[in-house]
Amino acid sequence: MSALLFTKSTLTRSKDEVYVAAVALRATKGPAQLLMSTAYSLSVWDLQHFMVIIKPSSPLLSQAIVFDFQPEDPENIYTALAALSGRAVPGS
């Protein structure tokens, strides 16, 4: 089971509320999922998926703005290998 963690920071200038959410990465079913589960259980990798959430202080903007950082092809094994090796991964 993955947990969603939030960190809150309030900007002093505009009083917008900024949150950072982190969720453990999940792999597709099969060998990739087995590899990721093993890595997590052995504390070898602790890969996280991050999102930045901004709650505007302006009464004109009632919805939060979410920036979700995700690879262009998140289920591609080469994307996973690149991320695991610390190389840059193109995002969308």
Side-chain angles (χ1 to χ4, degrees):
M1 174 179 277
S2 62
L4 179 64
L5 304 173
F6 285 99
T7 302
K8 178 184 173 186
S9 172
T10 304
L11 302 175
T12 56
R13 189 169 160 192
S14 65
K15 305 281 189 206
D16 290 346
E17 294 179 20
V18 178
Y19 299 86
V20 176
V23 180
L25 286 180
R26 296 185 310 187
T28 56
K29 292 185 180 192
Q33 188 177 46
L34 179 62
L35 177 65
M36 289 295 286
S37 295
T38 303
Y40 279 120
S41 65
L42 296 175
S43 298
V44 176
W45 295 311
D46 186 19
L47 301 175
Q48 302 287 319
H49 175 86
F50 291 99
M51 293 173 278
V52 176
I53 304 159
I54 300 173
K55 181 180 174 190
S57 61
S58 169
L60 300 174
L61 299 172
S62 61
Q63 293 184 339
I65 302 165
V66 178
F67 297 94
D68 188 357
F69 302 95
Q70 177 171 319
E72 286 178 359
D73 191 3
E75 294 186 8
N76 186 324
I77 188 67
Y78 296 112
T79 300
L81 292 173
L84 292 172
S85 66
R87 294 184 318 198
V89 176
S92 57

Coordinates of all heavy atoms in Angstrom, one line a residue:
M1 N 0.8 -1.2 0.0 CA 0.0 0.0 0.0 C 0.9 1.2 0.0 O 1.8 1.3 0.8 CB -0.9 0.0 1.2 CG -1.7 1.2 1.4 SD -2.8 1.2 2.8 CE -4.1 0.3 2.1
S2 N 0.6 2.2 -0.9 CA 1.4 3.4 -0.9 C 0.8 4.5 -0.2 O -0.5 4.6 -0.1 CB 1.7 3.8 -2.4 OG 0.4 4.1 -3.0
A3 N 1.6 5.3 0.5 CA 1.1 6.4 1.2 C 1.3 7.7 0.5 O 2.3 7.9 -0.2 CB 1.7 6.5 2.6
L4 N 0.5 8.7 0.6 CA 0.6 10.0 0.0 C 1.1 10.9 1.1 O 0.4 11.1 2.1 CB -0.7 10.5 -0.6 CG -0.8 11.8 -1.2 CD1 0.2 11.8 -2.4 CD2 -2.2 12.2 -1.7
L5 N 2.2 11.5 1.0 CA 2.8 12.4 1.9 C 2.7 13.9 1.4 O 3.0 14.1 0.3 CB 4.3 12.1 2.2 CG 4.5 10.6 2.7 CD1 6.0 10.4 2.8 CD2 3.8 10.4 4.0
F6 N 2.3 14.8 2.3 CA 2.3 16.2 1.9 C 3.2 17.0 2.8 O 3.4 16.7 4.0 CB 0.9 16.8 2.2 CG -0.1 16.4 1.1 CD1 -1.0 15.3 1.4 CD2 -0.2 17.0 -0.1 CE1 -1.9 14.9 0.4 CE2 -1.1 16.6 -1.0 CZ -2.0 15.6 -0.8
T7 N 3.9 18.0 2.2 CA 4.7 18.9 2.9 C 4.1 20.3 2.5 O 3.9 20.6 1.4 CB 6.1 18.9 2.5 OG1 6.6 17.5 2.8 CG2 7.0 19.8 3.3
K8 N 3.8 21.1 3.5 CA 3.2 22.4 3.3 C 4.2 23.5 3.5 O 5.0 23.5 4.5 CB 2.0 22.6 4.2 CG 1.4 24.0 4.0 CD 0.2 24.2 5.0 CE -0.3 25.6 5.0 NZ -1.3 25.8 6.0
S9 N 4.2 24.5 2.6 CA 5.0 25.7 2.8 C 4.2 26.9 2.4 O 3.5 26.9 1.4 CB 6.3 25.6 1.9 OG 6.9 26.9 1.9
T10 N 4.1 28.0 3.2 CA 3.4 29.2 2.9 C 4.3 30.2 2.4 O 5.3 30.6 3.1 CB 2.6 29.7 4.1 OG1 1.8 28.6 4.6 CG2 1.7 30.8 3.8
L11 N 4.1 30.8 1.2 CA 4.9 31.8 0.7 C 4.5 33.1 1.4 O 3.3 33.4 1.5 CB 4.7 32.0 -0.8 CG 5.0 30.7 -1.6 CD1 4.7 30.9 -3.1 CD2 6.5 30.4 -1.4
T12 N 5.4 33.9 1.9 CA 5.1 35.1 2.6 C 4.6 36.3 1.7 O 3.9 37.1 2.2 CB 6.4 35.6 3.4 OG1 7.4 35.8 2.5 CG2 6.7 34.6 4.5
R13 N 5.0 36.2 0.5 CA 4.7 37.4 -0.4 C 3.2 37.4 -0.8 O 2.5 38.4 -0.6 CB 5.5 37.2 -1.7 CG 5.4 38.4 -2.6 CD 6.5 38.2 -3.6 NE 6.2 39.0 -4.7 CZ 6.9 39.0 -5.9 NH1 7.8 38.1 -6.0 NH2 6.6 39.7 -6.9
S14 N 2.6 36.3 -1.3 CA 1.2 36.3 -1.7 C 0.3 35.5 -0.8 O -0.9 35.4 -1.1 CB 1.2 35.8 -3.1 OG 1.6 34.5 -3.2
K15 N 0.9 34.8 0.2 CA 0.1 33.9 1.1 C -0.5 32.7 0.3 O -1.4 32.1 0.8 CB -1.0 34.7 1.8 CG -0.4 35.9 2.6 CD 0.2 35.5 3.9 CE 0.4 36.8 4.6 NZ 1.5 36.7 5.5
D16 N 0.0 32.4 -0.9 CA -0.4 31.2 -1.5 C 0.1 30.0 -0.7 O 1.2 30.1 -0.1 CB 0.1 31.0 -2.9 CG -0.5 32.0 -3.9 OD1 -1.5 32.6 -3.5 OD2 0.1 32.2 -5.0
E17 N -0.7 28.9 -0.6 CA -0.2 27.7 0.1 C 0.4 26.8 -1.0 O -0.3 26.5 -2.0 CB -1.4 27.1 0.8 CG -1.9 27.9 1.9 CD -3.1 27.3 2.7 OE1 -3.2 26.1 2.6 OE2 -3.8 28.0 3.3
V18 N 1.6 26.3 -0.7 CA 2.3 25.4 -1.6 C 2.5 24.0 -0.9 O 3.0 24.0 0.3 CB 3.6 25.9 -2.0 CG1 4.4 25.0 -2.9 CG2 3.5 27.3 -2.7
Y19 N 2.0 23.0 -1.5 CA 2.2 21.6 -1.0 C 3.0 20.8 -1.9 O 2.9 20.9 -3.2 CB 0.8 20.9 -0.8 CG -0.1 21.7 0.1 CD1 -0.9 22.7 -0.3 CD2 -0.2 21.3 1.5 CE1 -1.8 23.3 0.5 CE2 -1.1 21.9 2.3 CZ -1.9 23.0 1.8 OH -2.7 23.6 2.7
V20 N 3.8 19.9 -1.4 CA 4.5 18.9 -2.2 C 4.0 17.5 -1.8 O 4.0 17.2 -0.6 CB 6.0 19.0 -2.0 CG1 6.7 17.9 -2.8 CG2 6.5 20.4 -2.4
A21 N 3.5 16.8 -2.7 CA 3.0 15.4 -2.5 C 3.9 14.4 -3.0 O 4.5 14.6 -4.1 CB 1.6 15.3 -3.1
A22 N 4.2 13.4 -2.3 CA 5.1 12.3 -2.7 C 4.4 11.0 -2.6 O 3.8 10.7 -1.5 CB 6.4 12.3 -1.9
V23 N 4.4 10.2 -3.6 CA 3.8 8.8 -3.6 C 4.9 7.8 -4.1 O 5.6 8.1 -5.1 CB 2.6 8.8 -4.6 CG1 2.0 7.4 -4.6 CG2 1.6 9.8 -4.2
A24 N 5.0 6.7 -3.5 CA 5.9 5.7 -3.9 C 5.6 5.3 -5.4 O 4.4 5.1 -5.7 CB 5.9 4.5 -3.0
L25 N 6.6 5.1 -6.2 CA 6.4 4.7 -7.6 C 5.9 3.2 -7.6 O 6.3 2.4 -6.8 CB 7.7 4.8 -8.4 CG 8.1 6.2 -8.8 CD1 9.4 6.1 -9.6 CD2 7.0 6.9 -9.6
R26 N 5.0 2.9 -8.6 CA 4.6 1.6 -8.8 C 4.9 1.1 -10.2 O 4.9 1.9 -11.1 CB 3.1 1.5 -8.6 CG 2.6 1.8 -7.2 CD 1.2 1.6 -7.0 NE 0.4 2.3 -8.0 CZ -0.9 2.4 -8.0 NH1 -1.6 1.9 -7.1 NH2 -1.5 3.0 -9.0
A27 N 5.2 -0.1 -10.3 CA 5.6 -0.7 -11.6 C 4.4 -1.4 -12.2 O 3.5 -1.8 -11.5 CB 6.8 -1.6 -11.5
T28 N 4.4 -1.7 -13.5 CA 3.4 -2.5 -14.1 C 3.5 -4.0 -13.6 O 4.6 -4.4 -13.1 CB 3.6 -2.5 -15.6 OG1 4.9 -3.0 -16.0 CG2 3.3 -1.1 -16.2
K29 N 2.5 -4.7 -13.7 CA 2.5 -6.1 -13.2 C 3.5 -7.0 -14.0 O 3.8 -6.7 -15.1 CB 1.1 -6.7 -13.4 CG 0.1 -6.1 -12.4 CD -1.2 -6.8 -12.5 CE -2.2 -6.0 -11.5 NZ -3.4 -6.8 -11.3
G30 N 4.0 -7.9 -13.3 CA 5.0 -8.8 -13.9 C 6.4 -8.6 -13.3 O 6.5 -8.3 -12.1
P31 N 7.4 -8.9 -14.1 CA 8.8 -8.8 -13.6 C 9.1 -7.4 -13.0 O 9.8 -7.3 -12.0 CB 9.6 -9.1 -14.8 CG 8.7 -9.9 -15.7 CD 7.4 -9.4 -15.4
A32 N 8.6 -6.4 -13.7 CA 9.0 -5.0 -13.2 C 8.4 -4.8 -11.8 O 9.1 -4.2 -10.9 CB 8.4 -4.0 -14.1
Q33 N 7.2 -5.2 -11.5 CA 6.6 -5.1 -10.2 C 7.3 -5.9 -9.2 O 7.5 -5.4 -8.0 CB 5.1 -5.5 -10.3 CG 4.4 -5.1 -9.0 CD 2.9 -5.5 -9.1 OE1 2.5 -6.5 -9.6 NE2 2.1 -4.5 -8.7
L34 N 7.7 -7.1 -9.5 CA 8.5 -7.9 -8.6 C 9.8 -7.3 -8.2 O 10.2 -7.2 -7.1 CB 8.7 -9.3 -9.2 CG 9.6 -10.3 -8.4 CD1 8.9 -10.6 -7.1 CD2 9.8 -11.5 -9.2
L35 N 10.5 -6.7 -9.2 CA 11.8 -6.0 -9.0 C 11.6 -4.8 -8.1 O 12.3 -4.6 -7.1 CB 12.4 -5.6 -10.4 CG 13.7 -4.8 -10.3 CD1 14.8 -5.7 -9.7 CD2 14.1 -4.3 -11.6
M36 N 10.6 -4.0 -8.4 CA 10.3 -2.8 -7.5 C 10.0 -3.2 -6.1 O 10.5 -2.6 -5.1 CB 9.2 -2.0 -8.1 CG 9.6 -1.2 -9.4 SD 10.9 0.0 -9.2 CE 10.0 1.3 -8.4
S37 N 9.1 -4.2 -5.9 CA 8.7 -4.7 -4.6 C 9.9 -5.2 -3.8 O 10.1 -4.9 -2.6 CB 7.7 -5.8 -4.7 OG 6.5 -5.3 -5.3
T38 N 10.8 -5.9 -4.5 CA 12.0 -6.4 -3.8 C 12.9 -5.3 -3.4 O 13.4 -5.3 -2.3 CB 12.7 -7.4 -4.8 OG1 11.8 -8.5 -5.1 CG2 14.0 -8.0 -4.1
A39 N 13.1 -4.3 -4.3 CA 13.9 -3.2 -4.0 C 13.4 -2.4 -2.8 O 14.2 -2.0 -2.0 CB 14.1 -2.3 -5.3
Y40 N 12.1 -2.2 -2.8 CA 11.5 -1.4 -1.6 C 11.7 -2.2 -0.3 O 12.1 -1.6 0.7 CB 10.0 -1.2 -1.9 CG 9.8 0.0 -2.7 CD1 9.0 -0.1 -3.9 CD2 10.2 1.3 -2.4 CE1 8.8 1.0 -4.7 CE2 9.9 2.4 -3.2 CZ 9.2 2.2 -4.4 OH 9.0 3.3 -5.1
S41 N 11.4 -3.5 -0.4 CA 11.5 -4.3 0.8 C 12.9 -4.4 1.4 O 13.2 -4.5 2.6 CB 10.9 -5.7 0.6 OG 11.7 -6.4 -0.3
L42 N 13.9 -4.3 0.5 CA 15.3 -4.4 0.9 C 15.9 -3.0 1.1 O 17.1 -2.8 1.4 CB 16.1 -5.1 -0.2 CG 15.8 -6.6 -0.4 CD1 16.6 -7.1 -1.5 CD2 16.1 -7.4 0.9
S43 N 15.1 -1.9 1.0 CA 15.5 -0.5 1.1 C 16.6 -0.2 0.1 O 17.5 0.6 0.5 CB 15.9 -0.2 2.5 OG 14.8 -0.4 3.4
V44 N 16.6 -0.8 -1.0 CA 17.6 -0.5 -2.0 C 17.2 0.8 -2.8 O 18.1 1.7 -3.0 CB 17.7 -1.6 -3.1 CG1 18.7 -1.3 -4.2 CG2 18.2 -2.9 -2.3
W45 N 16.0 1.0 -3.1 CA 15.5 2.1 -3.8 C 14.3 2.7 -3.1 O 13.5 2.0 -2.5 CB 15.0 1.8 -5.2 CG 16.0 1.3 -6.2 CD1 17.3 1.9 -6.4 CD2 16.0 0.2 -7.0 NE1 17.9 1.2 -7.3 CE2 17.2 0.1 -7.8 CE3 15.0 -0.7 -7.3 CZ2 17.4 -0.8 -8.7 CZ3 15.2 -1.7 -8.2 CH2 16.4 -1.8 -8.9
D46 N 14.2 4.0 -3.0 CA 13.1 4.7 -2.5 C 12.6 5.7 -3.5 O 12.8 6.9 -3.2 CB 13.4 5.3 -1.1 CG 12.2 5.8 -0.4 OD1 11.0 5.4 -0.8 OD2 12.3 6.7 0.5
L47 N 12.1 5.3 -4.6 CA 11.7 6.2 -5.6 C 10.3 6.8 -5.4 O 9.4 6.0 -5.0 CB 11.7 5.5 -7.0 CG 13.1 4.9 -7.4 CD1 13.0 4.1 -8.7 CD2 14.1 6.0 -7.5
Q48 N 10.2 8.0 -5.6 CA 9.0 8.7 -5.3 C 8.4 9.4 -6.5 O 9.2 9.9 -7.4 CB 9.2 9.8 -4.2 CG 9.7 9.2 -2.9 CD 8.6 8.4 -2.2 OE1 7.5 8.8 -2.1 NE2 9.0 7.3 -1.6
H49 N 7.1 9.6 -6.6 CA 6.5 10.4 -7.7 C 6.1 11.7 -7.0 O 5.4 11.6 -5.9 CB 5.3 9.6 -8.2 CG 4.5 10.4 -9.2 ND1 4.8 10.5 -10.5 CD2 3.4 11.2 -9.0 CE1 3.9 11.3 -11.1 NE2 3.1 11.7 -10.2
F50 N 6.5 12.8 -7.5 CA 6.2 14.1 -6.9 C 5.2 14.9 -7.6 O 5.1 14.9 -8.8 CB 7.5 14.9 -6.8 CG 8.5 14.4 -5.8 CD1 9.6 13.6 -6.2 CD2 8.4 14.6 -4.4 CE1 10.5 13.1 -5.4 CE2 9.3 14.0 -3.5 CZ 10.3 13.3 -4.0
M51 N 4.4 15.6 -6.8 CA 3.4 16.6 -7.4 C 3.5 17.9 -6.5 O 3.7 17.8 -5.3 CB 2.0 16.1 -7.3 CG 1.7 14.9 -8.2 SD 0.1 14.2 -7.9 CE 0.5 13.2 -6.5
V52 N 3.4 19.0 -7.2 CA 3.4 20.3 -6.5 C 2.0 20.8 -6.6 O 1.4 20.9 -7.7 CB 4.4 21.3 -7.1 CG1 4.3 22.6 -6.4 CG2 5.8 20.7 -6.9
I53 N 1.4 21.2 -5.5 CA 0.0 21.7 -5.4 C 0.1 23.1 -4.9 O 0.6 23.3 -3.8 CB -0.9 20.8 -4.6 CG1 -0.8 19.4 -5.1 CG2 -2.3 21.3 -4.5 CD1 -1.2 18.3 -4.1
I54 N -0.5 24.1 -5.6 CA -0.6 25.4 -5.1 C -2.0 25.8 -4.9 O -2.9 25.7 -5.8 CB 0.1 26.4 -6.2 CG1 1.5 26.0 -6.4 CG2 0.0 27.8 -5.7 CD1 2.2 26.7 -7.5
K55 N -2.3 26.3 -3.7 CA -3.7 26.8 -3.4 C -3.6 28.3 -3.4 O -3.0 28.9 -2.4 CB -4.1 26.2 -2.0 CG -5.5 26.7 -1.7 CD -5.9 26.1 -0.3 CE -7.2 26.7 0.1 NZ -7.5 26.4 1.5
P56 N -4.1 28.9 -4.4 CA -4.0 30.4 -4.5 C -4.8 31.1 -3.3 O -5.8 30.6 -2.9 CB -4.7 30.8 -5.8 CG -4.7 29.5 -6.6 CD -4.8 28.4 -5.6
S57 N -4.2 32.2 -2.9 CA -4.9 33.0 -1.8 C -6.0 33.9 -2.4 O -6.8 34.4 -1.7 CB -3.8 33.8 -1.1 OG -3.2 34.7 -2.0
S58 N -5.9 34.1 -3.7 CA -6.9 35.0 -4.3 C -8.3 34.4 -4.3 O -8.5 33.2 -4.6 CB -6.5 35.2 -5.8 OG -7.6 35.9 -6.5
P59 N -9.3 35.2 -3.9 CA -10.7 34.7 -3.9 C -11.2 34.5 -5.3 O -12.2 33.8 -5.4 CB -11.5 35.8 -3.1 CG -10.6 37.0 -3.2 CD -9.2 36.6 -3.4
L60 N -10.6 35.0 -6.3 CA -11.0 34.8 -7.7 C -10.6 33.4 -8.2 O -11.2 32.9 -9.1 CB -10.4 35.9 -8.6 CG -10.7 37.3 -8.2 CD1 -10.0 38.3 -9.1 CD2 -12.2 37.5 -8.4
L61 N -9.6 32.8 -7.6 CA -9.2 31.5 -8.0 C -9.5 30.5 -6.9 O -8.9 30.4 -5.9 CB -7.7 31.5 -8.2 CG -7.1 32.4 -9.3 CD1 -5.6 32.4 -9.3 CD2 -7.6 31.9 -10.7
S62 N -10.6 29.7 -7.1 CA -11.1 28.8 -6.1 C -10.5 27.4 -6.2 O -10.6 26.6 -5.3 CB -12.6 28.8 -6.1 OG -13.0 28.2 -7.3
Q63 N -9.8 27.1 -7.3 CA -9.3 25.8 -7.5 C -7.8 25.8 -7.3 O -7.1 26.8 -7.6 CB -9.6 25.2 -8.9 CG -11.1 25.0 -9.1 CD -11.4 24.4 -10.4 OE1 -10.6 24.5 -11.3 NE2 -12.5 23.7 -10.5
A64 N -7.3 24.7 -6.8 CA -5.8 24.5 -6.6 C -5.2 24.2 -8.0 O -5.9 23.7 -8.9 CB -5.5 23.4 -5.7
I65 N -4.0 24.5 -8.1 CA -3.2 24.3 -9.3 C -2.2 23.1 -9.0 O -1.5 23.2 -8.0 CB -2.4 25.5 -9.8 CG1 -3.4 26.7 -10.0 CG2 -1.6 25.2 -11.0 CD1 -2.7 28.0 -10.1
V66 N -2.2 22.1 -9.9 CA -1.4 20.9 -9.6 C -0.4 20.8 -10.7 O -0.7 20.8 -11.9 CB -2.3 19.6 -9.5 CG1 -1.4 18.4 -9.3 CG2 -3.3 19.8 -8.4
F67 N 0.9 20.6 -10.4 CA 2.0 20.3 -11.3 C 2.4 18.9 -11.0 O 2.9 18.6 -10.0 CB 3.1 21.3 -11.1 CG 2.8 22.7 -11.4 CD1 2.4 23.6 -10.4 CD2 2.8 23.2 -12.7 CE1 2.1 24.9 -10.7 CE2 2.5 24.5 -13.0 CZ 2.1 25.3 -12.0
D68 N 2.1 18.0 -12.0 CA 2.4 16.6 -11.8 C 3.5 16.2 -12.7 O 3.4 16.3 -13.9 CB 1.1 15.8 -12.2 CG 1.2 14.3 -11.9 OD1 2.3 13.9 -11.4 OD2 0.2 13.6 -12.1
F69 N 4.6 15.8 -12.2 CA 5.8 15.5 -12.9 C 5.8 14.0 -13.2 O 5.9 13.2 -12.3 CB 7.1 15.9 -12.2 CG 7.1 17.4 -11.8 CD1 6.6 17.8 -10.6 CD2 7.5 18.3 -12.8 CE1 6.6 19.2 -10.3 CE2 7.5 19.6 -12.5 CZ 7.0 20.1 -11.2
Q70 N 5.7 13.7 -14.5 CA 5.6 12.3 -14.9 C 6.4 12.0 -16.2 O 6.4 12.9 -17.0 CB 4.1 11.9 -15.2 CG 3.9 10.5 -15.6 CD 2.5 10.1 -15.7 OE1 1.7 10.4 -14.8 NE2 2.1 9.4 -16.7
P71 N 7.1 10.9 -16.3 CA 7.8 10.6 -17.5 C 6.8 10.5 -18.7 O 5.7 10.1 -18.5 CB 8.4 9.2 -17.2 CG 8.4 9.0 -15.7 CD 7.2 9.8 -15.3
E72 N 7.4 10.8 -19.9 CA 6.6 10.7 -21.1 C 6.0 9.3 -21.3 O 4.9 9.1 -21.7 CB 7.4 11.1 -22.3 CG 7.6 12.6 -22.4 CD 8.5 12.9 -23.6 OE1 8.9 12.0 -24.4 OE2 8.7 14.1 -23.8
D73 N 6.8 8.3 -21.0 CA 6.4 6.9 -21.2 C 6.6 6.1 -19.9 O 7.6 5.4 -19.8 CB 7.1 6.2 -22.4 CG 6.5 4.9 -22.8 OD1 5.5 4.5 -22.2 OD2 7.1 4.3 -23.7
P74 N 5.8 6.3 -18.9 CA 6.1 5.7 -17.6 C 6.1 4.2 -17.5 O 6.7 3.7 -16.5 CB 5.0 6.3 -16.7 CG 3.9 6.6 -17.6 CD 4.5 7.0 -18.9
E75 N 5.5 3.5 -18.4 CA 5.5 2.1 -18.3 C 6.6 1.4 -19.2 O 6.6 0.2 -19.3 CB 4.1 1.5 -18.7 CG 3.1 2.0 -17.7 CD 1.7 1.4 -18.0 OE1 1.6 0.5 -18.9 OE2 0.8 1.8 -17.3
N76 N 7.4 2.2 -19.8 CA 8.5 1.7 -20.6 C 9.7 1.2 -19.7 O 10.1 1.9 -18.9 CB 9.0 2.7 -21.6 CG 10.0 2.2 -22.6 OD1 10.8 1.4 -22.3 ND2 9.9 2.8 -23.8
I77 N 10.1 0.0 -20.0 CA 11.2 -0.5 -19.1 C 12.5 0.3 -19.3 O 13.2 0.5 -18.3 CB 11.5 -2.0 -19.5 CG1 12.5 -2.6 -18.5 CG2 12.0 -2.2 -20.9 CD1 12.0 -2.8 -17.1
Y78 N 12.7 0.9 -20.4 CA 13.9 1.8 -20.6 C 13.8 3.0 -19.8 O 14.8 3.6 -19.3 CB 14.2 2.0 -22.1 CG 14.5 0.8 -22.8 CD1 13.6 0.3 -23.8 CD2 15.7 0.1 -22.6 CE1 13.9 -0.9 -24.5 CE2 15.9 -1.1 -23.3 CZ 15.0 -1.6 -24.2 OH 15.3 -2.8 -24.9
T79 N 12.6 3.5 -19.6 CA 12.4 4.7 -18.8 C 12.7 4.4 -17.3 O 13.4 5.1 -16.7 CB 10.9 5.2 -18.9 OG1 10.6 5.5 -20.3 CG2 10.7 6.4 -18.0
A80 N 12.3 3.2 -16.9 CA 12.5 2.8 -15.5 C 14.0 2.6 -15.3 O 14.6 3.0 -14.3 CB 11.8 1.5 -15.2
L81 N 14.7 1.9 -16.3 CA 16.2 1.7 -16.1 C 16.9 3.1 -16.1 O 17.9 3.2 -15.3 CB 16.7 0.8 -17.3 CG 16.2 -0.6 -17.2 CD1 16.6 -1.4 -18.5 CD2 16.7 -1.3 -16.0
A82 N 16.5 4.0 -16.9 CA 17.1 5.3 -16.9 C 17.0 6.0 -15.6 O 17.9 6.6 -15.0 CB 16.6 6.2 -18.1
A83 N 15.7 6.0 -15.1 CA 15.5 6.6 -13.8 C 16.3 5.9 -12.7 O 16.8 6.6 -11.8 CB 14.0 6.6 -13.4
L84 N 16.3 4.6 -12.7 CA 17.1 3.9 -11.6 C 18.6 4.1 -11.7 O 19.2 4.1 -10.7 CB 16.8 2.4 -11.8 CG 15.4 1.9 -11.4 CD1 15.2 0.5 -11.8 CD2 15.1 2.2 -10.0
S85 N 19.1 4.4 -12.9 CA 20.5 4.7 -13.0 C 20.9 6.1 -12.8 O 22.0 6.5 -12.9 CB 21.0 4.2 -14.4 OG 20.4 5.0 -15.4
G86 N 19.8 7.0 -12.5 CA 20.1 8.4 -12.2 C 20.2 9.3 -13.5 O 20.5 10.4 -13.3
R87 N 19.9 8.7 -14.6 CA 19.9 9.6 -15.9 C 18.6 10.4 -16.0 O 17.6 10.0 -15.4 CB 20.1 8.7 -17.1 CG 21.5 8.0 -17.1 CD 21.6 7.2 -18.4 NE 20.4 6.5 -18.7 CZ 20.3 5.5 -19.5 NH1 21.3 5.1 -20.2 NH2 19.1 4.9 -19.8
A88 N 18.7 11.4 -16.8 CA 17.5 12.2 -17.0 C 16.4 11.5 -17.8 O 16.8 10.7 -18.7 CB 17.9 13.5 -17.8
V89 N 15.2 11.7 -17.5 CA 14.1 11.0 -18.1 C 13.2 12.1 -18.7 O 12.7 13.0 -17.9 CB 13.3 10.1 -17.2 CG1 12.1 9.5 -17.8 CG2 14.2 9.0 -16.6
P90 N 12.9 12.1 -20.0 CA 12.0 13.2 -20.5 C 10.6 13.1 -19.9 O 10.1 12.0 -19.6 CB 11.8 12.8 -22.0 CG 12.9 11.8 -22.3 CD 13.3 11.2 -21.0
G91 N 10.0 14.2 -19.5 CA 8.7 14.3 -18.9 C 7.7 15.0 -19.7 O 7.9 15.6 -20.7
S92 N 6.4 14.9 -19.2 CA 5.3 15.5 -19.9 C 4.6 16.3 -18.9 O 4.7 16.2 -17.7 CB 4.4 14.5 -20.5 OG 3.9 13.6 -19.6

